[in-house]
Amino acid sequence: MRIITDFHLHSRYSRACSKELTIKNIAKMCERKGIQFVGTSDFTHPAWREEIGRELEPIDGGAFQLKDQSSSTRFLLSTEISCIYKRHGKTRRVHHIILFSHLAGVDHLIASLQARGCNLKSDGRPIIGLDSEELLKHVLEADPMGLLIPAHAWTPWFAVFGSQSGFDSLEECFGEMTKYIPAIETGLSSDPKMNWRLKQLDSIFLVSNSDAHSLDNLGREANVFEMPEPGYQELRRILVERDRTKFIETIEFFPEEGKYHVDGHRVCRFWCEPAQTKKLKGICPKCGKPLVVGVLNRVDRLADRPLDEQPKDATPYRSIVPLAELIGGAMGVGKASKTVKAEMDRILSDGRSEFGVLLDLPESELTRITTPEIVESICRMRAGEIQIRPGYDGEYGVVSLREDEGTKRKEQQASLF
Ligand SMILES: [Zn+2]
Ligand SMILES: [Zn+2]
């Protein structure tokens, strides 16, 4: 059975997150999106830990279900922890996704972090002073079946390979514990193809998750596994044993759409490709301050394989644009508008899910349920025929369909984007 999984997201107890992020709402939204297996997120936060215990119960295989059985969505225990520490004379900021097999392990980790003086109460994604290697030791001590995966590995300010406060290799960050790292998360600003350029990543998996701060963003990136049913034990086995036959594909943002794809300076509204940054000697031509080096540039610096070469046995991926954006673009209205919502509801009736519509539904079937403009948008997305103004220095990229016919619809898109 094909299981779509998203295990990096947040609860309403994380900073800048929607108040609607409750366990029940997440379960319901996952059904609409077509996600069968989703992370609880934020399990070290006391109030959210309490909600997890109140709403969910364990079932076989290390998955959790709603106690009232009102949803088919299955959960796995997940959180994100941000570490800030000094190593080799530099301040490091690295975010980590942590997955656990049982609640007793979660409580063990909470107790051991609190004993080290970590503040877990003020944020669902806590910031702690442990280094990454030490955190991994705490994780495995609390649950030997636990996993730690570096989150959005290329984000300039908060990641293992980040240009501003990261490292050049996993070994530099995790030392002797590196062998316990089964994967890195590529993040929105990079896709697998970019990561294939680093030979040091050939021996691990590349995973993708939404890092959603609102219900609508759930599943904007995801992992597709072949599993008999959603289960943490099997997910862990696939990752740890590098079972390529069961890790079918990842579903990706177009990386240009991510917030840190190219180099730039947001306050000056200036961005450029890595070659231009080199010519500018890394300095913003508008204000004279250093440019924030994006993911494309950073990957290029650490790469030891040419762009057009693909490693053996790489996991395939598909790139998507969220359905609301496609509909908004095709109809010439904002993606959060009532018009888009109404059309979404129409398209996603009769038990159809967003992933089903974006990835699987044949064109003939799409034509039956929605407008020709939306069908065309979906087909162009599937063919990769889109234009993007790339994201930089915390500013999301902007997607539009390829301009060709100069139709009225195109003009509407131009005004939208
Ligand atoms: Zn996050
Ligand atoms: Zn500037």
Side-chain angles (χ1 to χ4, degrees), residues 286-352:
K286 297 204 175 165
C287 72
K289 291 192 185 129
L291 292 167
V292 172
V293 172
V295 167
L296 190 64
N297 194 333
R298 180 72 179 147
V299 169
D300 206 52
R301 272 188 218 174
L302 297 186
D304 52 3
R305 180 182 281 132
L307 242 181
D308 46 7
E309 209 177 285
Q310 188 177 327
K312 218 162 63 73
D313 303 327
T315 307
Y317 68 95
R318 282 193 271 181
S319 303
I320 57 161
V321 175
L323 187 56
E325 265 178 65
L326 290 177
I327 296 172
M331 298 178 90
V333 293
K335 65 177 180 180
S337 65
K338 281 198 179 119
T339 316
V340 168
K341 170 99 177 32
E343 187 57 23
M344 285 273 274
D345 288 345
R346 230 164 54 81
I347 294 175
L348 300 181
S349 59
D350 293 337
R352 284 182 289 268

Side-chain angles (χ1 to χ4, degrees), residues 8-10 80 95 125 151-152 211-213:
H8 179 180
L9 55 140
H10 291 282
E80 181 182 23
H95 289 192
R125 186 197 62 203
H152 39 69
D211 200 355
H213 290 202

Side-chain angles (χ1 to χ4, degrees), residues 69-248:
Q69 302 196 8
S70 59
S71 169
S72 58
T73 303
R74 296 290 178 263
F75 286 81
L76 67 154
L77 298 169
S78 76
T79 196
E80 181 182 23
I81 292 181
S82 166
C83 292
I84 302 187
Y85 56 96
K86 277 232 157 60
R87 189 124 170 196
H88 308 313
K90 268 177 76 177
T91 299
R92 313 289 178 163
R93 295 184 192 83
V94 184
H95 289 192
H96 313 82
I97 302 166
I98 291 163
L99 307 178
F100 266 19
S101 69
H102 54 73
L103 277 168
V106 165
D107 294 336
H108 185 147
L109 182 71
I110 291 171
S112 73
L113 293 179
Q114 277 171 341
R116 296 291 306 256
C118 301
N119 174 8
L120 305 178
K121 290 197 180 87
S122 59
D123 195 341
R125 186 197 62 203
I127 299 170
I128 65 172
L130 297 188
D131 75 39
S132 300
E133 190 177 348
E134 208 179 332
L135 173 64
L136 180 46
K137 286 177 184 163
H138 279 276
V139 164
L140 293 178
E141 191 194 284
D143 181 1
M145 294 290 279
L147 289 176
L148 182 149
I149 296 172
H152 39 69
W154 295 98
T155 312
W157 303 100
F158 310 111
V160 65
F161 293 136
S163 61
Q164 309 287 340
S165 51
F167 298 88
D168 288 350
S169 71
L170 291 175
E171 281 74 16
E172 223 183 277
C173 178
F174 292 100
E176 57 171 30
M177 299 300 281
T178 308
K179 59 177 183 285
Y180 298 107
I181 306 288
I184 61 164
E185 184 186 56
T186 55
L188 301 182
S189 296
S190 87
D191 65 8
K193 195 172 176 198
M194 291 166 67
N195 287 266
W196 292 342
R197 298 193 58 206
L198 275 77
K199 289 180 185 158
Q200 62 162 309
L201 302 178
D202 287 358
S203 57
I204 59 173
F205 274 134
L206 304 170
V207 298
S208 288
N209 300 289
S210 67
D211 200 355
H213 290 202
S214 65
L215 290 168
D216 283 339
N217 282 341
L218 279 168
R220 58 185 169 174
E221 294 205 331
N223 311 285
V224 185
F225 298 105
E226 176 60 41
M227 290 195 246
E229 63 200 351
Y232 174 74
Q233 251 90 1
E234 177 61 2
L235 182 145
R236 181 185 179 279
R237 188 199 65 74
I238 292 169
L239 293 180
V240 169
E241 295 179 10
R242 288 181 62 234
D243 185 349
R244 293 176 189 282
T245 63
K246 297 292 161 65
F247 194 169
I248 299 171

Side-chain angles (χ1 to χ4, degrees), residues 330 362-381:
E363 195 176 337
S364 56
E365 188 71 4
L366 289 172
T367 307
R368 206 178 54 77
I369 60 170
T370 187
T371 67
E373 290 80 10
I374 294 171
V375 175
E376 197 192 333
S377 295
I378 293 172
C379 292
R380 286 189 172 191
M381 175 208 72

